[in-house]
Amino acid sequence: MTPRQKILITGASSGLGEGMARRFAARGRALGLAARRLERLETLAAELRPSAAQVAVTPLDVTDLDAVPVAFRKLADELGGLDRVIVNAGLGKGAPLGTGKAAANIETVQTNLVGALAQAEAALEIFREQNAGHLVLISSISGVRGLPKAQAAYSASKAGLTALGQGLQAEFAGSPITVSVIAPGYIETDINRGVKTSLMVDTDKGVDALVKAIEAEKSWAPVPAWPWTPIAAALKYLPLSLSRRLV
């Protein structure tokens, strides 16, 4: 498989997005990086340019739905096309429903699902024109089975993103456009700060597993594969009386 050379990553100023940018730069790829914090993006770009084939940056809030296709076109133009788009920008806010904190839950869904849909629209418009491309949706193990309390809206947003990816996989099956749904478990990033679990892996290990799954262009990949592949299967197929003990 010929490596995808021109890669756009959203949410690239920190966490998994920053980690992926560093890995792909080290492999000599051309990168288009988007995030809300332009200053952090520019600092990262300056670090990566000696190893990357090219680095282009643009500020982007993915909840500004009109700005998404403009930003994607800008980066595609600067890179001379896009081979892969990684829809990574995400938000982990949340509170138990009905506790007066609806804004946090709504913002999470707007970012993780509506914003991701806007990104998929923009990426696939470019891919359809090129008749080629790899769309990567960064979902979550949380999207496999609905989670309770403060995780409920986040879990729903990721379940929606996974379903979107599955629909696109059916649509583009057998075509030059490939769609991957990647489902990270607990990886040490800002979004998981404060979570206490023995299943947490450090950022480097998590990013390595993430990049490996993306490069393999798997249709569905829990990350890291162990222990999340069997856990995902258990969450999906066990009856509620048993699965709720896992969440």
Side-chain angles (χ1 to χ4, degrees):
M1 184 186 298
T2 303
R4 309 278 184 176
Q5 295 297 332
K6 302 168 183 177
I7 303 173
L8 188 159
I9 305 171
T10 63
S13 63
S14 64
L16 298 181
E18 179 184 354
M20 287 187 284
R22 292 185 183 280
R23 298 301 190 279
F24 286 122
R27 298 181 184 197
R29 310 296 173 81
L31 299 176
L33 306 179
R36 289 177 298 176
R37 295 170 289 190
L38 180 59
E39 185 175 336
R40 290 187 66 164
L41 274 184
E42 290 176 333
T43 299
L44 176 62
E47 293 178 21
L48 300 184
R49 284 194 175 102
S51 54
Q54 182 181 353
V55 183
V57 301
T58 192
L60 177 63
D61 179 345
V62 299
T63 63
D64 183 348
L65 304 182
D66 292 334
V68 172
V70 175
F72 277 39
R73 286 287 179 184
K74 175 180 180 292
L75 293 174
D77 288 346
E78 290 191 41
L79 297 182
L82 293 173
D83 299 322
R84 173 181 289 149
V85 171
I86 302 176
V87 176
N88 170 71
L91 191 64
K93 288 184 179 181
L97 272 68
T99 61
K101 298 178 180 178
N105 291 322
I106 292 168
E107 186 180 357
T108 292
V109 174
Q110 286 175 331
T111 300
N112 295 353
L113 183 54
V114 180
L117 174 61
Q119 292 170 74
E121 289 271 12
L124 288 169
E125 187 173 340
I126 293 168
F127 290 169
R128 286 181 189 272
E129 292 170 3
Q130 299 174 164
N131 196 33
H134 182 207
L135 177 65
V136 181
L137 304 178
I138 305 298
S139 183
S140 172
I141 292 294
S142 301
V144 175
R145 191 82 175 228
L147 300 183
K149 300 181 181 179
Q151 292 293 310
Y154 179 83
S155 176
S157 70
K158 292 300 188 177
L161 183 58
T162 295
L164 176 66
Q166 291 168 339
L168 293 172
Q169 287 167 351
E171 179 176 351
F172 290 104
S175 82
I177 296 173
T178 303
V179 179
S180 296
V181 178
I182 310 296
Y186 291 117
I187 299 173
E188 190 177 8
T189 61
D190 287 344
I191 206 170
N192 285 323
R193 203 73 66 203
V195 175
K196 298 185 184 302
T197 172
S198 61
L199 298 176
M200 186 78 70
V201 298
D202 65 52
T203 306
D204 283 342
K205 183 177 179 179
V207 171
D208 286 343
L210 193 60
V211 168
K212 182 179 179 181
I214 291 170
E215 292 277 69
E217 302 197 6
K218 296 183 177 182
S219 59
W220 158 256
V223 171
W226 176 261
W228 293 107
T229 298
I231 290 175
L235 288 172
K236 187 173 183 179
Y237 295 112
L238 287 177
L240 178 62
S241 60
L242 295 177
S243 67
R244 66 187 178 193
R245 298 178 188 176
L246 300 177
V247 300

